[in-house]
Amino acid sequence: MPEPANIVPAPKAARIDHRYHPDKPREECGIFGVYAPGREVAAMTYYGLYALQHRGQESAGIAVADGRQVTLHKGMGLVAEVFSRERLQNLTGHLAIGHVRYSTTGASQPLNAQPLVFRYARGMLGLAHNGNITNVAELRQRLAATGSVFQSTTDSEVIVNLIARYGSSSLEEAVIKCMIDIKGAYSLLLITGDRLLAVRDPYGFRPLCLGELPQGGYVVASESCALDTVGARKLRDVQPGEIITIDQSGLSCQTVLSPRRRAHCIFEYIYFARPDSEIDGFNVNQVRRALGRQLAREYRVQADLVIPVPDSGTAAARGFAEESGIPFEEGLMKNRYIGRTFIQPTQDLRDLAVRLKLNPVREVLQGKSVIMIDDSLVRGTTSRKIVGMLRDCGVREVHFLLSSPPVVKSCYYGIDTSDESELLAASQTVEEICRTIGADGLYYLSLEGMLGVFGEYKHNFCTACFDGNYPVEIPAGGDKKAKYSLE
Protein backbone atom coordinates (compact mmCIF):
# COMPACT_ATOMS: atom_id res chain seq x y z
CA MET A 1 0.00 0.00 0.00
CA PRO A 2 1.43 3.43 -0.91
CA GLU A 3 2.47 5.70 1.93
CA PRO A 4 0.50 8.88 2.58
CA ALA A 5 3.22 10.96 0.91
CA ASN A 6 2.08 9.53 -2.43
CA ILE A 7 -1.47 10.71 -2.02
CA VAL A 8 -2.23 13.44 -4.52
CA PRO A 9 -5.33 15.49 -3.76
CA ALA A 10 -7.77 15.42 -6.65
CA PRO A 11 -8.97 18.66 -8.20
CA LYS A 12 -12.22 20.00 -6.90
CA ALA A 13 -15.14 18.43 -8.72
CA ALA A 14 -18.39 20.14 -9.47
CA ARG A 15 -21.09 19.86 -6.85
CA ILE A 16 -24.10 17.68 -7.51
CA ASP A 17 -27.20 19.47 -8.65
CA HIS A 18 -29.91 17.88 -6.54
CA ARG A 19 -32.62 18.86 -8.96
CA TYR A 20 -31.36 16.02 -11.12
CA HIS A 21 -31.66 12.42 -9.97
CA PRO A 22 -29.78 9.67 -11.84
CA ASP A 23 -32.09 6.92 -13.01
CA LYS A 24 -30.91 4.39 -10.44
CA PRO A 25 -31.53 3.74 -6.77
CA ARG A 26 -28.72 5.23 -4.71
CA GLU A 27 -26.84 3.71 -1.81
CA GLU A 28 -26.50 5.77 1.29
CA CYS A 29 -23.19 5.07 3.00
CA GLY A 30 -20.00 3.09 3.33
CA ILE A 31 -18.11 2.60 6.59
CA PHE A 32 -14.58 1.48 7.39
CA GLY A 33 -12.75 0.91 10.68
CA VAL A 34 -9.27 -0.26 11.65
CA TYR A 35 -7.48 -1.18 14.89
CA ALA A 36 -3.76 -1.49 14.15
CA PRO A 37 -1.20 -0.13 16.68
CA GLY A 38 1.98 1.03 14.95
CA ARG A 39 0.32 1.49 11.57
CA GLU A 40 -0.78 4.57 9.63
CA VAL A 41 -4.44 4.04 10.46
CA ALA A 42 -5.63 7.34 8.95
CA ALA A 43 -4.01 6.49 5.61
CA MET A 44 -5.43 2.96 5.74
CA THR A 45 -8.89 4.40 6.37
CA TYR A 46 -8.40 6.83 3.48
CA TYR A 47 -7.70 3.92 1.13
CA GLY A 48 -10.54 1.88 2.60
CA LEU A 49 -12.98 4.72 1.97
CA TYR A 50 -11.60 5.11 -1.54
CA ALA A 51 -12.58 1.48 -2.18
CA LEU A 52 -16.08 2.23 -0.86
CA GLN A 53 -16.55 5.51 -2.74
CA HIS A 54 -19.34 3.98 -4.87
CA ARG A 55 -21.50 3.80 -1.70
CA GLY A 56 -21.53 7.57 -1.13
CA GLN A 57 -20.11 10.64 -2.84
CA GLU A 58 -21.64 13.56 -0.92
CA SER A 59 -19.25 13.74 2.04
CA ALA A 60 -16.40 11.87 3.70
CA GLY A 61 -14.79 11.80 7.12
CA ILE A 62 -12.21 10.05 9.31
CA ALA A 63 -11.99 9.96 13.13
CA VAL A 64 -8.75 8.71 14.73
CA ALA A 65 -8.09 7.79 18.38
CA ASP A 66 -4.71 7.70 20.12
CA GLY A 67 -5.62 6.10 23.45
CA ARG A 68 -7.13 9.27 24.92
CA GLN A 69 -8.50 11.68 22.34
CA VAL A 70 -10.60 11.23 19.21
CA THR A 71 -9.57 13.58 16.38
CA LEU A 72 -11.91 14.22 13.47
CA HIS A 73 -11.75 15.65 9.99
CA LYS A 74 -14.68 15.57 7.57
CA GLY A 75 -16.09 17.60 4.74
CA MET A 76 -18.30 17.70 1.67
CA GLY A 77 -17.14 15.91 -1.46
CA LEU A 78 -15.27 12.80 -2.53
CA VAL A 79 -12.60 11.20 -0.35
CA ALA A 80 -9.81 12.65 -2.47
CA GLU A 81 -11.37 16.12 -2.23
CA VAL A 82 -11.79 16.10 1.54
CA PHE A 83 -8.34 14.77 2.51
CA SER A 84 -4.90 16.07 1.64
CA ARG A 85 -1.57 14.54 2.67
CA GLU A 86 -1.24 17.16 5.41
CA ARG A 87 -4.71 16.43 6.76
CA LEU A 88 -3.94 12.74 7.05
CA GLN A 89 -0.59 13.36 8.73
CA ASN A 90 -2.40 15.32 11.44
CA LEU A 91 -4.68 12.37 12.19
CA THR A 92 -2.44 10.27 14.43
CA GLY A 93 -3.42 7.27 16.54
CA HIS A 94 -3.80 3.51 16.45
CA LEU A 95 -7.51 3.09 15.65
CA ALA A 96 -9.82 4.89 13.26
CA ILE A 97 -13.24 4.86 11.65
CA GLY A 98 -14.29 6.45 8.35
CA HIS A 99 -17.48 7.20 6.46
CA VAL A 100 -18.64 8.10 2.95
CA ARG A 101 -22.19 9.41 2.74
CA TYR A 102 -25.14 9.52 0.47
CA SER A 103 -28.06 11.07 2.35
CA THR A 104 -31.31 9.21 3.02
CA THR A 105 -32.26 10.90 6.32
CA GLY A 106 -31.15 14.52 6.54
CA ALA A 107 -30.03 16.73 3.68
CA SER A 108 -26.56 16.72 2.15
CA GLN A 109 -24.82 19.40 4.24
CA PRO A 110 -21.65 19.67 6.35
CA LEU A 111 -23.41 19.22 9.71
CA ASN A 112 -24.75 15.84 8.55
CA ALA A 113 -21.36 14.51 7.42
CA GLN A 114 -19.94 11.60 9.44
CA PRO A 115 -18.33 10.28 11.60
CA LEU A 116 -20.14 12.04 14.42
CA VAL A 117 -17.82 12.69 17.38
CA PHE A 118 -19.10 13.77 20.79
CA ARG A 119 -18.32 13.75 24.50
CA TYR A 120 -20.53 11.94 26.97
CA ALA A 121 -20.29 10.66 30.55
CA ARG A 122 -17.56 8.15 29.70
CA GLY A 123 -15.40 10.30 27.44
CA MET A 124 -15.14 10.79 23.70
CA LEU A 125 -17.00 8.62 21.21
CA GLY A 126 -17.11 8.54 17.41
CA LEU A 127 -19.87 6.90 15.32
CA ALA A 128 -20.25 5.98 11.64
CA HIS A 129 -23.60 4.63 10.42
CA ASN A 130 -24.82 2.84 7.29
CA GLY A 131 -28.58 2.30 7.15
CA ASN A 132 -31.84 3.98 8.02
CA ILE A 133 -33.72 4.07 11.33
CA THR A 134 -37.44 3.69 10.63
CA ASN A 135 -38.73 4.93 14.01
CA VAL A 136 -36.40 7.94 14.14
CA ALA A 137 -39.16 10.57 14.30
CA GLU A 138 -40.73 8.98 17.36
CA LEU A 139 -37.37 8.52 19.12
CA ARG A 140 -36.17 12.03 18.39
CA GLN A 141 -39.40 13.53 19.68
CA ARG A 142 -39.10 11.49 22.86
CA LEU A 143 -35.49 12.50 23.40
CA ALA A 144 -36.17 16.16 22.70
CA ALA A 145 -39.05 16.16 25.18
CA THR A 146 -36.65 15.10 27.92
CA GLY A 147 -33.92 17.63 27.16
CA SER A 148 -31.81 16.27 24.30
CA VAL A 149 -30.52 18.78 21.75
CA PHE A 150 -29.54 18.01 18.16
CA GLN A 151 -27.03 19.65 15.85
CA SER A 152 -27.72 17.63 12.72
CA THR A 153 -30.83 16.31 10.97
CA THR A 154 -29.62 12.71 10.63
CA ASP A 155 -31.06 9.60 12.22
CA SER A 156 -27.49 8.75 13.27
CA GLU A 157 -27.51 11.55 15.86
CA VAL A 158 -30.50 9.90 17.52
CA ILE A 159 -28.34 6.80 18.01
CA VAL A 160 -25.64 9.02 19.54
CA ASN A 161 -28.15 10.55 21.94
CA LEU A 162 -29.51 7.18 22.99
CA ILE A 163 -26.02 5.88 23.77
CA ALA A 164 -25.31 9.03 25.80
CA ARG A 165 -28.65 8.61 27.58
CA TYR A 166 -27.51 5.17 28.71
CA GLY A 167 -24.08 6.50 29.66
CA SER A 168 -24.22 5.16 33.22
CA SER A 169 -23.81 1.67 31.73
CA SER A 170 -20.71 0.31 29.98
CA LEU A 171 -20.47 1.21 26.29
CA GLU A 172 -21.47 -2.32 25.23
CA GLU A 173 -24.48 -2.26 27.55
CA ALA A 174 -25.46 1.21 26.30
CA VAL A 175 -25.28 -0.02 22.70
CA ILE A 176 -27.44 -3.05 23.53
CA LYS A 177 -30.08 -0.80 25.13
CA CYS A 178 -29.91 1.42 22.06
CA MET A 179 -30.39 -1.59 19.76
CA ILE A 180 -33.56 -2.49 21.66
CA ASP A 181 -34.93 1.03 21.09
CA ILE A 182 -34.15 1.54 17.42
CA LYS A 183 -35.86 -0.16 14.47
CA GLY A 184 -34.70 -0.48 10.90
CA ALA A 185 -31.33 -0.92 9.23
CA TYR A 186 -28.00 -0.13 10.83
CA SER A 187 -24.43 -1.22 10.50
CA LEU A 188 -22.38 0.85 12.96
CA LEU A 189 -18.76 1.51 13.82
CA LEU A 190 -17.89 3.25 17.09
CA ILE A 191 -14.55 4.29 18.59
CA THR A 192 -13.58 5.47 22.01
CA GLY A 193 -10.02 6.52 22.86
CA ASP A 194 -8.87 2.90 22.83
CA ARG A 195 -11.67 0.63 21.54
CA LEU A 196 -13.40 -0.09 18.25
CA LEU A 197 -16.92 -1.55 18.17
CA ALA A 198 -18.71 -3.03 15.13
CA VAL A 199 -22.48 -3.50 15.32
CA ARG A 200 -25.02 -4.96 12.86
CA ASP A 201 -28.80 -4.81 13.17
CA PRO A 202 -30.62 -8.10 13.93
CA TYR A 203 -31.91 -8.47 10.36
CA GLY A 204 -28.53 -7.79 8.73
CA PHE A 205 -29.97 -5.36 6.20
CA ARG A 206 -26.72 -3.61 5.34
CA PRO A 207 -23.44 -5.52 4.93
CA LEU A 208 -20.51 -5.44 7.35
CA CYS A 209 -17.46 -7.72 7.37
CA LEU A 210 -14.40 -8.35 9.53
CA GLY A 211 -10.82 -8.80 8.35
CA GLU A 212 -7.35 -9.37 9.80
CA LEU A 213 -4.15 -7.57 8.85
CA PRO A 214 -1.08 -9.75 8.20
CA GLN A 215 1.11 -7.70 10.58
CA GLY A 216 -1.53 -7.74 13.30
CA GLY A 217 -4.69 -5.75 13.81
CA TYR A 218 -8.24 -5.87 12.52
CA VAL A 219 -10.32 -4.13 9.90
CA VAL A 220 -14.13 -3.81 9.61
CA ALA A 221 -15.81 -2.55 6.42
CA SER A 222 -19.07 -2.39 4.52
CA GLU A 223 -17.62 -4.54 1.74
CA SER A 224 -14.74 -6.97 1.44
CA CYS A 225 -13.24 -4.98 -1.46
CA ALA A 226 -12.08 -2.45 1.16
CA LEU A 227 -10.35 -5.22 3.13
CA ASP A 228 -8.53 -6.29 -0.04
CA THR A 229 -7.45 -2.72 -0.71
CA VAL A 230 -5.58 -2.42 2.62
CA GLY A 231 -4.15 -5.95 2.44
CA ALA A 232 -6.46 -7.51 5.03
CA ARG A 233 -7.79 -11.07 4.87
CA LYS A 234 -11.51 -11.47 5.34
CA LEU A 235 -12.34 -13.53 8.42
CA ARG A 236 -16.13 -13.44 8.22
CA ASP A 237 -19.22 -11.27 8.02
CA VAL A 238 -20.41 -9.55 11.17
CA GLN A 239 -23.51 -11.54 12.12
CA PRO A 240 -26.96 -9.93 12.42
CA GLY A 241 -27.51 -8.75 16.00
CA GLU A 242 -23.80 -9.04 16.84
CA ILE A 243 -21.43 -6.62 18.60
CA ILE A 244 -17.68 -7.07 18.03
CA THR A 245 -15.27 -5.24 20.32
CA ILE A 246 -11.60 -4.77 19.36
CA ASP A 247 -9.03 -3.42 21.82
CA GLN A 248 -5.57 -4.20 23.20
CA SER A 249 -6.90 -7.54 24.52
CA GLY A 250 -7.87 -8.60 21.00
CA LEU A 251 -11.26 -9.50 19.62
CA SER A 252 -14.44 -10.29 21.57
CA CYS A 253 -17.86 -11.04 20.07
CA GLN A 254 -21.38 -11.30 21.44
CA THR A 255 -24.75 -11.83 19.77
CA VAL A 256 -27.12 -9.59 21.68
CA LEU A 257 -30.31 -9.68 19.60
CA SER A 258 -31.65 -12.74 17.81
CA PRO A 259 -33.63 -11.95 14.66
CA ARG A 260 -36.85 -13.63 13.64
CA ARG A 261 -35.32 -13.87 10.18
CA ARG A 262 -32.45 -12.50 8.10
CA ALA A 263 -33.25 -9.75 5.60
CA HIS A 264 -30.07 -8.92 3.69
CA CYS A 265 -30.64 -6.25 1.03
CA ILE A 266 -30.81 -8.11 -2.29
CA PHE A 267 -30.08 -4.90 -4.21
CA GLU A 268 -26.52 -5.03 -2.88
CA TYR A 269 -26.02 -8.00 -5.23
CA ILE A 270 -28.08 -6.64 -8.12
CA TYR A 271 -26.57 -3.17 -8.35
CA PHE A 272 -24.89 -1.48 -5.37
CA ALA A 273 -21.93 -3.51 -4.23
CA ARG A 274 -18.67 -3.77 -6.11
CA PRO A 275 -18.56 -6.99 -8.14
CA ASP A 276 -15.31 -8.09 -6.45
CA SER A 277 -16.92 -8.00 -3.00
CA GLU A 278 -18.15 -11.04 -1.12
CA ILE A 279 -21.20 -10.39 1.06
CA ASP A 280 -22.73 -12.91 3.45
CA GLY A 281 -21.19 -15.85 1.63
CA PHE A 282 -21.88 -14.81 -1.97
CA ASN A 283 -19.50 -13.19 -4.46
CA VAL A 284 -21.34 -10.29 -6.09
CA ASN A 285 -19.99 -10.92 -9.60
CA GLN A 286 -20.93 -14.60 -9.49
CA VAL A 287 -24.45 -13.77 -8.31
CA ARG A 288 -24.92 -11.28 -11.16
CA ARG A 289 -23.70 -13.87 -13.67
CA ALA A 290 -26.10 -16.46 -12.26
CA LEU A 291 -28.96 -13.95 -12.53
CA GLY A 292 -28.13 -13.55 -16.21
CA ARG A 293 -28.13 -17.30 -16.78
CA GLN A 294 -31.50 -17.59 -15.04
CA LEU A 295 -32.84 -14.76 -17.21
CA ALA A 296 -31.82 -16.72 -20.33
CA ARG A 297 -33.60 -19.81 -19.04
CA GLU A 298 -36.79 -17.80 -18.50
CA TYR A 299 -36.82 -16.06 -21.92
CA ARG A 300 -35.77 -17.55 -25.28
CA VAL A 301 -35.37 -14.27 -27.14
CA GLN A 302 -33.90 -14.45 -30.66
CA ALA A 303 -31.23 -11.84 -31.48
CA ASP A 304 -27.79 -11.40 -33.06
CA LEU A 305 -25.95 -10.06 -30.00
CA VAL A 306 -26.12 -9.71 -26.22
CA ILE A 307 -24.85 -6.33 -25.00
CA PRO A 308 -24.70 -5.00 -21.41
CA VAL A 309 -25.45 -1.57 -20.02
CA PRO A 310 -22.06 -1.12 -18.31
CA ASP A 311 -20.98 -1.71 -15.67
CA SER A 312 -23.58 -3.29 -13.41
CA GLY A 313 -25.28 -5.10 -16.34
CA THR A 314 -22.07 -6.65 -17.63
CA ALA A 315 -21.87 -9.79 -15.48
CA ALA A 316 -25.57 -10.60 -16.06
CA ALA A 317 -25.12 -10.11 -19.82
CA ARG A 318 -22.16 -12.51 -19.84
CA GLY A 319 -24.26 -15.05 -17.94
CA PHE A 320 -27.14 -14.63 -20.40
CA ALA A 321 -24.78 -15.12 -23.36
CA GLU A 322 -23.27 -18.26 -21.79
CA GLU A 323 -26.69 -19.82 -21.24
CA SER A 324 -28.32 -18.74 -24.52
CA GLY A 325 -25.35 -19.24 -26.84
CA ILE A 326 -25.91 -15.78 -28.34
CA PRO A 327 -22.59 -13.89 -28.82
CA PHE A 328 -21.64 -11.29 -26.17
CA GLU A 329 -20.36 -7.92 -27.39
CA GLU A 330 -19.52 -4.65 -25.72
CA GLY A 331 -21.89 -2.49 -27.72
CA LEU A 332 -21.88 0.44 -25.30
CA MET A 333 -18.63 1.96 -24.04
CA LYS A 334 -18.60 3.71 -20.68
CA ASN A 335 -16.54 6.83 -20.05
CA ARG A 336 -14.72 5.85 -16.85
CA TYR A 337 -13.56 9.39 -16.17
CA ILE A 338 -16.93 11.09 -16.01
CA GLY A 339 -16.73 11.60 -12.25
CA ARG A 340 -19.30 13.95 -10.75
CA THR A 341 -20.33 15.87 -13.81
CA PHE A 342 -24.04 15.39 -13.31
CA ILE A 343 -24.99 19.03 -13.52
CA GLN A 344 -27.85 19.18 -15.97
CA PRO A 345 -30.19 22.10 -15.47
CA THR A 346 -31.83 21.64 -18.87
CA GLN A 347 -33.21 18.64 -20.76
CA ASP A 348 -30.72 19.16 -23.60
CA LEU A 349 -27.79 18.98 -21.20
CA ARG A 350 -29.25 15.89 -19.53
CA ASP A 351 -29.42 14.18 -22.93
CA LEU A 352 -25.81 15.15 -23.57
CA ALA A 353 -24.82 13.76 -20.16
CA VAL A 354 -26.04 10.27 -21.14
CA ARG A 355 -23.91 10.47 -24.30
CA LEU A 356 -20.97 11.62 -22.21
CA LYS A 357 -21.33 8.56 -20.00
CA LEU A 358 -22.23 5.94 -22.63
CA ASN A 359 -21.36 5.78 -26.31
CA PRO A 360 -22.61 3.07 -28.73
CA VAL A 361 -20.11 1.23 -30.93
CA ARG A 362 -21.61 1.67 -34.39
CA GLU A 363 -19.33 -0.90 -36.06
CA VAL A 364 -20.59 -3.59 -33.66
CA LEU A 365 -24.26 -2.65 -33.63
CA GLN A 366 -25.32 -1.43 -37.09
CA GLY A 367 -28.00 -3.62 -38.70
CA LYS A 368 -28.12 -6.02 -35.73
CA SER A 369 -30.91 -7.24 -33.50
CA VAL A 370 -29.66 -6.89 -29.89
CA ILE A 371 -30.54 -8.10 -26.42
CA MET A 372 -29.60 -5.27 -24.05
CA ILE A 373 -29.24 -6.26 -20.40
CA ASP A 374 -29.35 -3.92 -17.41
CA ASP A 375 -29.63 -4.62 -13.69
CA SER A 376 -32.88 -2.75 -12.99
CA LEU A 377 -35.39 -0.23 -14.29
CA VAL A 378 -36.49 2.64 -12.05
CA ARG A 379 -37.84 5.69 -13.86
CA GLY A 380 -36.86 4.65 -17.38
CA THR A 381 -35.49 8.04 -18.42
CA THR A 382 -31.93 6.81 -19.03
CA SER A 383 -33.12 3.58 -20.65
CA ARG A 384 -35.17 5.57 -23.16
CA LYS A 385 -32.12 7.61 -24.12
CA ILE A 386 -29.94 4.52 -24.50
CA VAL A 387 -32.50 2.80 -26.73
CA GLY A 388 -32.66 6.00 -28.79
CA MET A 389 -28.88 6.00 -29.21
CA LEU A 390 -28.96 2.38 -30.40
CA ARG A 391 -31.67 3.21 -32.94
CA ASP A 392 -29.56 6.13 -34.20
CA CYS A 393 -26.72 3.64 -34.73
CA GLY A 394 -28.86 1.55 -37.02
CA VAL A 395 -29.81 -1.21 -34.56
CA ARG A 396 -32.71 -3.15 -36.05
CA GLU A 397 -34.35 -4.50 -32.87
CA VAL A 398 -33.77 -3.72 -29.17
CA HIS A 399 -34.96 -6.32 -26.67
CA PHE A 400 -34.49 -4.95 -23.15
CA LEU A 401 -33.96 -7.55 -20.40
CA LEU A 402 -33.60 -6.81 -16.68
CA SER A 403 -31.73 -9.06 -14.24
CA SER A 404 -34.20 -8.19 -11.48
CA PRO A 405 -38.00 -8.13 -11.07
CA PRO A 406 -39.98 -4.88 -11.51
CA VAL A 407 -39.18 -2.26 -8.82
CA VAL A 408 -42.61 -1.23 -7.54
CA LYS A 409 -42.04 -0.11 -3.93
CA SER A 410 -39.81 2.41 -2.17
CA CYS A 411 -37.05 1.33 0.22
CA TYR A 412 -36.96 2.53 3.85
CA TYR A 413 -33.83 0.65 4.94
CA GLY A 414 -31.02 2.70 3.45
CA ILE A 415 -31.58 2.96 -0.29
CA ASP A 416 -32.81 6.17 -1.86
CA THR A 417 -35.27 4.92 -4.48
CA SER A 418 -37.60 7.28 -6.25
CA ASP A 419 -41.01 7.97 -4.78
CA GLU A 420 -43.38 5.15 -5.64
CA SER A 421 -45.26 7.46 -8.00
CA GLU A 422 -42.04 7.81 -10.06
CA LEU A 423 -41.33 4.08 -10.34
CA LEU A 424 -42.20 3.17 -13.91
CA ALA A 425 -43.19 -0.42 -13.16
CA ALA A 426 -45.55 0.72 -10.41
CA SER A 427 -47.77 2.59 -12.83
CA GLN A 428 -47.29 1.11 -16.32
CA THR A 429 -47.75 -2.31 -17.91
CA VAL A 430 -44.90 -4.00 -19.75
CA GLU A 431 -46.43 -2.94 -23.07
CA GLU A 432 -46.73 0.67 -21.92
CA ILE A 433 -43.12 0.71 -20.69
CA CYS A 434 -41.98 -0.70 -24.05
CA ARG A 435 -43.63 2.24 -25.77
CA THR A 436 -42.22 4.70 -23.22
CA ILE A 437 -38.61 3.63 -23.70
CA GLY A 438 -38.96 2.64 -27.38
CA ALA A 439 -37.90 -1.02 -27.01
CA ASP A 440 -39.22 -3.93 -29.10
CA GLY A 441 -39.57 -6.12 -26.01
CA LEU A 442 -39.20 -5.87 -22.23
CA TYR A 443 -38.50 -8.83 -19.96
CA TYR A 444 -38.02 -8.93 -16.17
CA LEU A 445 -36.38 -11.70 -14.20
CA SER A 446 -38.99 -13.38 -12.02
CA LEU A 447 -38.87 -13.00 -8.23
CA GLU A 448 -38.70 -16.78 -7.87
CA GLY A 449 -35.89 -17.00 -10.42
CA MET A 450 -33.90 -14.26 -8.68
CA LEU A 451 -34.19 -15.88 -5.25
CA GLY A 452 -33.50 -19.33 -6.68
CA VAL A 453 -29.94 -18.22 -7.46
CA PHE A 454 -29.27 -18.27 -3.70
CA GLY A 455 -30.41 -21.88 -3.28
CA GLU A 456 -31.19 -22.86 0.30
CA TYR A 457 -30.50 -19.28 1.47
CA LYS A 458 -33.25 -17.75 -0.68
CA HIS A 459 -35.31 -16.76 2.37
CA ASN A 460 -32.49 -14.62 3.82
CA PHE A 461 -33.20 -11.49 1.78
CA CYS A 462 -35.32 -8.36 1.90
CA THR A 463 -37.33 -8.11 -1.34
CA ALA A 464 -39.62 -5.25 -0.25
CA CYS A 465 -38.82 -3.10 -3.31
CA PHE A 466 -40.20 -5.90 -5.51
CA ASP A 467 -43.12 -7.27 -3.49
CA GLY A 468 -43.85 -4.75 -0.69
CA ASN A 469 -43.12 -7.26 2.09
CA TYR A 470 -41.29 -5.00 4.57
CA PRO A 471 -39.53 -7.03 7.29
CA VAL A 472 -39.58 -4.09 9.74
CA GLU A 473 -42.45 -1.66 10.21
CA ILE A 474 -42.07 1.40 7.97
CA PRO A 475 -42.98 5.01 8.84
CA ALA A 476 -46.68 5.74 9.09
CA GLY A 477 -48.17 6.40 5.66
CA GLY A 478 -44.98 5.19 3.98
CA ASP A 479 -43.93 8.80 3.56
CA LYS A 480 -40.76 8.92 1.43
CA LYS A 481 -40.38 12.57 2.39
CA ALA A 482 -39.12 11.15 5.70
CA LYS A 483 -35.64 11.92 4.30
CA TYR A 484 -36.29 15.54 5.22
CA SER A 485 -38.57 14.88 8.19
CA LEU A 486 -35.91 16.05 10.65
CA GLU A 487 -35.04 19.26 8.77
Side-chain angles (χ1 to χ4, degrees), residues 437-450:
I437 65 176
D440 295 288
L442 176 69
Y443 309 86
Y444 291 100
L445 182 63
S446 68
L447 185 64
E448 297 75 19
M450 176 186 70

Side-chain angles (χ1 to χ4, degrees), residues 283-296:
N283 173 267
V284 173
N285 183 68
Q286 290 178 347
V287 168
R288 289 177 185 169
R289 210 149 176 151
L291 293 173
R293 288 196 292 271
Q294 177 61 27
L295 192 59

Side-chain angles (χ1 to χ4, degrees), residues 27 29-33 47-49 51-56 100 130 187 189 206-211 219-230 232 234 236-237 267-269 271-280 282 284 288:
E27 181 64 89
C29 292
I31 56 178
F32 181 92
Y47 287 115
L49 293 180
L52 299 173
Q53 188 74 83
H54 60 286
R55 300 182 70 87
V100 288
N130 176 203
S187 286
L189 293 177
R206 307 258 68 88
L208 193 62
C209 61
L210 171 71
V219 178
V220 189
S222 294
E223 293 183 36
S224 62
C225 63
L227 306 185
D228 298 336
T229 298
V230 300
K234 182 177 178 180
R236 63 179 177 85
D237 295 285
F267 237 94
E268 293 280 356
Y269 300 93
Y271 173 66
F272 288 124
R274 266 181 45 169
D276 51 335
S277 287
E278 186 211 58
I279 300 174
D280 291 308
F282 292 95
V284 173
R288 289 177 185 169

